[in-house]
């Protein structure tokens, strides 16, 4: 796999047709960008008007990045309701327009077209059900659902009554679910009987049952019927959504929320410790999600827009639900996987629903590319206009295939770089404004000032043709506000290493033309199939097994997944390595965290390379995992250098 940095940067300018159609062309980008940086208050004050306010804001930006007293406020004296912005305000003009197209896992099952009026009714009913379960403004609700319309109803219903949702991806295990329910002290968990995906079913309700054994016994469970599969039932704790929805009222008044009231918490992995609850608030987040959805994807009235992410990730929050619905768009929600029933599923769905904008992850592109072009070529993709990628750097081979085979060379590819923490896109080419370079996130979005710092000194590296760590100089409305329950951790993670900046955790290169290339994480976060994971989480799952004395986990390059999970495991004295134990440890990690964290390689390590002060030298472990033994660097500071020889000799055959 060629990395982006190695590719010669061929540029692809937008066609005249793309430019003519685009909301933003090169000249407009230059003007707007300059204005957004020179007077953020004026710029974002104007943009704030894209959504409806109950009480209009009079202040725009109130931010300090000063370590020790970090505060981030946008539109702080305004009030609004997010669900009213996504629903009620569209009813007059587009009540009958499709808001959500739902495409089920099985292509033989019917798709659903849910109009704005219907989505409004469904959301109100769900909101009334939540209220009847005792959920009030500020309470937390965990959502653990398949990719079904009820997931959107649940999100919007929480927003409607001012409850804070925290979605847990349906691929997470009961233990991971319990940790998140407890972490935000949720009152209710919304789940479904089963989640069908790729022809298989995940028993979500049983998982929730198992999780709830570790939670307060006051937590209630609202169960959506998806497959009708058997579930156990505890009266007084479990509630039948479908039955309650028949009775529930069609209207629920939207709560008046302050712009800075939390909208949702989303747990994400960091370089240390357990996942942290990223908090996004109401006003700024919605302005930013809505603006980026419209501009980045050049969304126009009547377009059908499809983001293939899961609502369990931030991409699903901002670009399946909140951004598109705030804009009155038609957003497609897909329950299945790219390869079921076969590798043409994505393209069949594009043909069937006449998709105009298609947004997916490099890992899916690489997997489909490997299956051959005929799966794409047999489908009519003539409605496609814009393609997008997100989640990890895209290698030039995959980019070129996406451009030529899927886009037929006429669809701009927006390579959107952003994070759970950022709420929306921070860097991306804009379809009508920028030429594209395969693998480059190109240019900052409005209001974003990226800086490249020297990793050691923290000094800004000026000019072009430079590389370093990526920080952002000032705030934007979609930025996370805090870590749930731990503001100190928020400041420490993002504002302490490089004072006065937001530290992204990514490395980056600014090329000779001033375009940006993300070079990957500079911390202990790995990116497996676009899923973000802390190596520390996998390590702590491994050492929780009775046979394991110590574990060190690193990422290594993987053809399809981008990065794979490589685990070095030291066993307890009385345990012997065996294939069975290896299998058991794999299953163990899947149970502790979820299938997405399943180790790709486990290598038995009688010892780990440590400094004399006992710190594991991951740099060396990474090199060994990458099969790169020539550049291990200085090993003389190791407490026992012979450990390295042993690891190289016994490197897992992979
Ligand atoms: C939206 C999302 C964030 C991390 C981020 C970076 C990587 C995301 C990327 C990209 C290169 C892109 N990343 N988009 N790297 N090019 N277009 O993915 O959020 O799950 O929090 O991951 O993903 O390393 O720091 P999240």
């Amino acid at each position: 796999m060629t990395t982006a940095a190695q590719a010669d940067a061929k540029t692809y300018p937008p066609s005249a047709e793309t430019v003519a159609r685009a909301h933003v062309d090169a000249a407009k980008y230059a003007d707007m960008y300059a204005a957004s940086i020179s007077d953020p208050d004026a710029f974002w004050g104007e943009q704030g008007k894209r959504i409806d306010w109950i009480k209009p804001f009079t202040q725009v930006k109130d931010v300090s990045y000063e370590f020790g007293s970090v505060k981030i406020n946008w539109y702080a004296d305004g009030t609004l309701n997010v669900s009213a912005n996504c629903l009620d305000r569209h009813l007059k003009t587009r009540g009958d327009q499709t808001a959500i197209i739902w495409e089920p896992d099985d292509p033989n099952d019917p798709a659903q077209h849910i109009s704005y009026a219907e989505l409004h009714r469904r959301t109100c009913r769900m909101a009334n059900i939540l209220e009847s379960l005792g959920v009030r403004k500020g309470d937390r609700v965990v959502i653990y659902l398949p990719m079904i319309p009820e997931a959107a109803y649940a999100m919007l219903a929480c927003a409607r009554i001012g409850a804070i949702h925290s979605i847990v991806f349906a691929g997470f295990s009961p233990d991971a679910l319990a940790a998140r329910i407890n972490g935000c002290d949720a009152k209710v968990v919304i789940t479904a009987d089963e989640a069908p995906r790729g022809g298989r079913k995940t028993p979500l309700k049983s998982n929730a049952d198992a999780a709830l054994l570790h939670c307060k016994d006051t937590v209630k469970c609202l169960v959506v019927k998806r497959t009708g599969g058997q579930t156990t039932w505890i009266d007084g704790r479990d509630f039948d959504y479908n039955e309650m929805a028949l009775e529930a009222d069609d209207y629920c008044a939207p709560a008046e929320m302050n712009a800075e009231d939390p909208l949702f918490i989303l747990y994400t992995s960091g370089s240390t410790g357990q996942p942290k609850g990223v908090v996004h608030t109401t006003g700024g987040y919605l302005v930013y999600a809505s603006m980026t959805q419209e501009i980045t994807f050049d969304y126009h009235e009547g377009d059908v827009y499809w983001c293939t992410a899961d609502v369990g990730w931030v991409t699903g929050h901002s670009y399946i639900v909140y951004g598109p619905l705030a804009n009155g768009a038609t957003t497609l929600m897909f329950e299945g996987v790219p390869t079921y029933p076969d590798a043409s599923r994505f393209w069949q769905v594009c043909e069937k629903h006449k998709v105009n904008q298609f947004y997916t992850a490099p890992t899916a592109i690489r997997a489909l590319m490997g299956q051959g072009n005929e799966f794409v070529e047999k489908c009519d993709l003539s409605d496609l206009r814009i393609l997008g990628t997100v989640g990890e750097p895209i290698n030039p081979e995959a980019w070129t295939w996406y451009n030529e085979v899927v886009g037929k060379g006429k669809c701009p590819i927006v390579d959107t770089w952003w994070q759970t923490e950022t709420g929306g896109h921070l860097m991306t080419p804009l379809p009508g404004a920028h030429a594209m370079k395969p693998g480059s996130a190109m240019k900052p979005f409005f209001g974003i000032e990226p800086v490249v710092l020297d990793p050691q000194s923290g000094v800004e590296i000026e000019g072009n043709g430079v590389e370093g760590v990526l920080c952002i100089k000032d705030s934007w409305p979609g930025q996370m506000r805090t870590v749930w329950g731990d503001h100190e951790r928020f400041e420490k993670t993002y504002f302490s290493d490089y004072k006065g900046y937001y530290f992204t955790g990514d490395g980056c290169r600014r090329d000779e033309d001033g375009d940006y290339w993300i070079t990957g994480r500079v911390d202990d976060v790995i990116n497996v199939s676009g899923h973000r994971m802390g190596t520390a989480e996998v390590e702590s799952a491994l050492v929780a097994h009775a046979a394991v004395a110590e574990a060190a986990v690193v990422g290594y390059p993987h053809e399809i997944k981008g990065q794979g999970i490589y685990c070095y495991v030291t066993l307890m004295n009385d345990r012997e390595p065996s294939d069975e134990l290896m299998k058991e440890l794999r299953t163990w990690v899947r149970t502790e965290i979820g299938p997405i964290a399943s180790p790709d390689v486990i290598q038995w390590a009688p010892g780990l390379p440590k400094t004399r002060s006992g710190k594991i030298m991951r740099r060396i472990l990474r090199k060994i995992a990458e099969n790169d033994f020539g550049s291990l660097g200085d090993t003389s500071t190791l407490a026992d250098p012979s450990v390295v020889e042993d690891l190289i000799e016994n490197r897992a055959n992979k």
Side-chain angles (χ1 to χ4, degrees):
M1 198 163 91
T2 324
T3 64
Q6 291 160 345
D8 68 328
K10 186 172 170 204
T11 55
Y12 295 76
S15 69
E17 200 187 327
T18 300
V19 175
R21 190 188 172 97
H23 292 302
V24 176
D25 62 14
K28 191 163 176 198
Y29 172 82
D31 284 353
M32 280 176 74
Y33 184 74
S36 73
I37 301 300
S38 66
D39 192 349
D41 269 73
F43 182 86
W44 290 113
E46 193 53 37
Q47 289 302 326
K49 296 180 190 154
R50 34 181 327 120
I51 60 171
D52 284 357
W53 298 83
I54 299 171
K55 182 168 145 286
F57 55 88
T58 64
Q59 317 156 0
V60 180
K61 178 177 171 229
D62 172 25
V63 172
S64 166
Y65 274 8
E66 170 95 28
F67 181 59
S69 54
V70 174
K71 60 164 182 177
I72 300 165
N73 295 297
W74 286 88
Y75 311 113
D77 65 345
T79 67
L80 73 161
N81 182 280
V82 165
S83 98
N85 268 285
C86 292
L87 303 170
D88 306 47
R89 70 165 173 159
H90 303 312
L91 291 183
K92 260 202 209 113
T93 50
R94 53 176 101 242
D96 295 333
Q97 182 203 305
T98 301
I100 296 178
I101 300 175
W102 179 69
E103 173 68 26
D105 185 51
D106 184 339
N108 299 313
D109 289 344
Q112 284 180 30
H113 289 74
I114 300 150
S115 68
Y116 272 94
E118 180 69 11
L119 182 58
H120 181 263
R121 280 194 292 276
R122 296 279 171 185
T123 298
C124 283
R125 285 188 200 169
M126 179 79 92
N128 286 323
I129 292 170
L130 290 175
E131 284 201 322
S132 76
L133 295 179
V135 179
R136 299 286 173 265
K137 197 170 178 167
D139 288 344
R140 274 78 59 206
V141 172
V142 162
I143 300 174
Y144 183 63
L145 284 174
M147 281 290 287
I148 53 178
E150 286 79 0
Y153 309 160
M155 294 165 78
L156 294 163
C158 287
R160 195 151 190 97
I161 61 176
I164 304 164
H165 60 71
S166 182
I167 306 188
V168 178
F169 174 58
F172 277 119
S173 69
D175 283 356
L177 175 61
R180 287 155 174 80
I181 296 170
N182 294 331
C184 69
D185 194 16
K187 255 194 177 166
V188 172
V189 179
I190 308 177
T191 190
D193 44 14
E194 296 175 310
R197 243 178 134 237
R200 284 190 297 207
K201 291 175 191 153
T202 308
L204 288 190
K205 173 60 164 59
S206 316
N207 285 356
D209 287 339
L212 286 168
L213 292 175
H214 306 286
C215 304
K216 281 197 213 159
D217 54 14
T218 50
V219 182
K220 292 175 178 155
C221 187
L222 182 63
V223 187
V224 178
K225 178 175 159 191
R226 169 61 185 98
T227 62
Q230 197 75 39
T231 59
T232 50
W233 206 261
I234 299 183
D235 281 330
R237 186 199 72 181
D238 295 341
F239 294 84
D240 184 329
Y241 162 80
N242 300 73
E243 218 167 72
M244 293 172 89
L246 293 175
E247 306 289 313
D249 202 276
D250 266 355
Y251 185 73
C252 169
E256 180 171 359
M257 304 302 291
N258 186 273
E260 285 300 342
D261 284 335
L263 175 64
F264 66 84
I265 302 168
L266 186 55
Y267 282 84
T268 193
S269 301
S271 49
T272 54
Q274 290 304 309
K276 44 185 178 288
V278 167
V279 175
H280 281 288
T281 58
T282 300
Y285 171 80
L286 195 66
V287 169
Y288 202 74
S290 140
M291 182 178 184
T292 46
Q293 196 270 335
E294 183 184 5
I295 307 283
T296 302
F297 301 108
D298 198 38
Y299 186 88
H300 290 262
E301 190 71 37
D303 286 349
V304 175
Y305 159 91
W306 181 17
C307 163
T308 71
D310 190 285
V311 290
W313 311 114
V314 73
T315 308
H317 286 64
S318 301
Y319 299 114
I320 295 176
V321 178
Y322 290 121
L325 295 178
N327 293 336
T330 297
T331 178
L332 196 148
M333 194 173 179
F334 176 45
E335 188 183 36
V337 298
T339 47
Y340 176 79
D342 66 34
S344 69
R345 186 67 191 278
F346 268 3
W347 322 121
Q348 282 175 6
V349 174
C350 284
E351 172 178 320
K352 177 172 168 190
H353 298 293
K354 302 193 178 332
V355 170
N356 301 113
Q357 287 93 354
F358 177 76
Y359 188 32
T360 196
T363 185
I365 299 168
R366 285 192 297 267
L368 295 175
M369 178 172 79
Q371 305 282 319
N373 297 356
E374 58 280 11
F375 288 104
V376 192
E377 283 159 0
K378 68 180 183 196
C379 300
D380 174 5
L381 299 181
S382 55
D383 289 301
L384 279 180
R385 235 181 45 237
I386 307 279
L387 301 174
T389 73
V390 57
E392 49 176 323
I394 183 165
N395 50 307
E397 290 90 339
W399 192 97
T400 305
W401 184 82
Y402 199 29
N403 180 45
E404 287 172 4
V405 180
V406 180
K408 322 288 181 218
K410 62 179 181 54
C411 302
I413 298 176
V414 289
D415 179 350
T416 61
W417 171 80
W418 60 296
Q419 311 176 298
T420 305
E421 292 88 338
T422 71
H425 307 146
L426 291 201
M427 287 207 251
T428 176
L430 298 182
H434 304 126
M436 302 165 298
K437 294 178 185 172
S440 169
M442 298 300 295
K443 294 288 186 200
F445 195 76
F446 304 116
I448 307 302
E449 269 185 282
V451 288
V452 180
L453 302 190
D454 177 281
Q456 264 75 47
S457 68
V459 172
E460 265 186 55
I461 310 176
E462 312 268 349
N464 291 338
V466 298
E467 192 166 334
V469 296
L470 174 62
C471 287
I472 311 292
K473 216 170 189 166
D474 204 347
S475 184
W476 62 97
Q479 185 170 25
M480 78 182 280
R481 302 300 198 253
T482 189
V483 169
W484 182 256
D486 197 349
H487 193 70
E488 216 177 298
R489 188 171 176 198
F490 173 61
E491 296 207 12
K492 198 158 172 297
T493 310
Y494 305 105
F495 300 94
S496 70
D497 290 350
Y498 302 102
K499 300 274 182 322
Y501 301 99
Y502 165 74
F503 173 45
T504 65
D506 279 313
C508 114
R509 185 161 70 89
R510 187 166 52 225
D511 71 13
E512 295 297 343
D513 305 322
D515 298 324
Y516 290 89
W517 302 71
I518 305 301
T519 52
R521 301 287 306 196
V522 295
D523 54 12
D524 291 318
V525 171
I526 54 177
N527 200 323
V528 182
S529 299
H531 295 153
R532 177 171 159 178
M533 222 167 298
T535 51
E537 284 168 72
V538 186
E539 286 164 6
S540 91
L542 282 166
V543 295
H545 189 283
V548 177
E550 199 166 28
V553 172
V554 297
Y556 74 102
H558 187 286
E559 279 278 327
I560 304 287
K561 300 181 182 181
Q563 278 186 301
I565 303 178
Y566 198 111
C567 311
Y568 297 88
V569 172
T570 310
L571 293 175
M572 293 289 189
N573 273 337
D574 57 346
R575 298 297 296 255
E576 287 298 318
S578 69
D579 288 350
E580 292 80 70
L581 184 53
M582 201 177 271
K583 240 168 107 188
E584 190 179 319
L585 289 180
R586 277 212 174 90
T587 313
W588 175 262
V589 176
R590 291 169 71 94
T591 328
E592 289 274 302
I593 305 176
I596 54 169
S598 192
D600 294 284
V601 182
I602 294 177
Q603 173 169 355
W604 305 119
L608 291 168
K610 289 185 188 165
T611 60
R612 277 176 211 135
S613 62
K615 241 179 130 172
I616 295 175
M617 293 193 64
R618 291 160 181 289
R619 174 176 57 81
I620 293 174
L621 293 175
R622 256 182 240 128
K623 292 281 179 202
I624 297 174
E626 284 166 15
N627 246 333
D628 179 8
F629 309 136
S631 53
L632 290 181
D634 186 11
T635 53
S636 64
T637 54
L638 288 176
D640 177 6
S642 73
V643 168
V644 175
E645 296 304 312
D646 180 86
L647 289 179
I648 292 178
E649 208 164 291
N650 295 303
R651 188 187 178 279
N653 245 348
K654 185 85 206 324

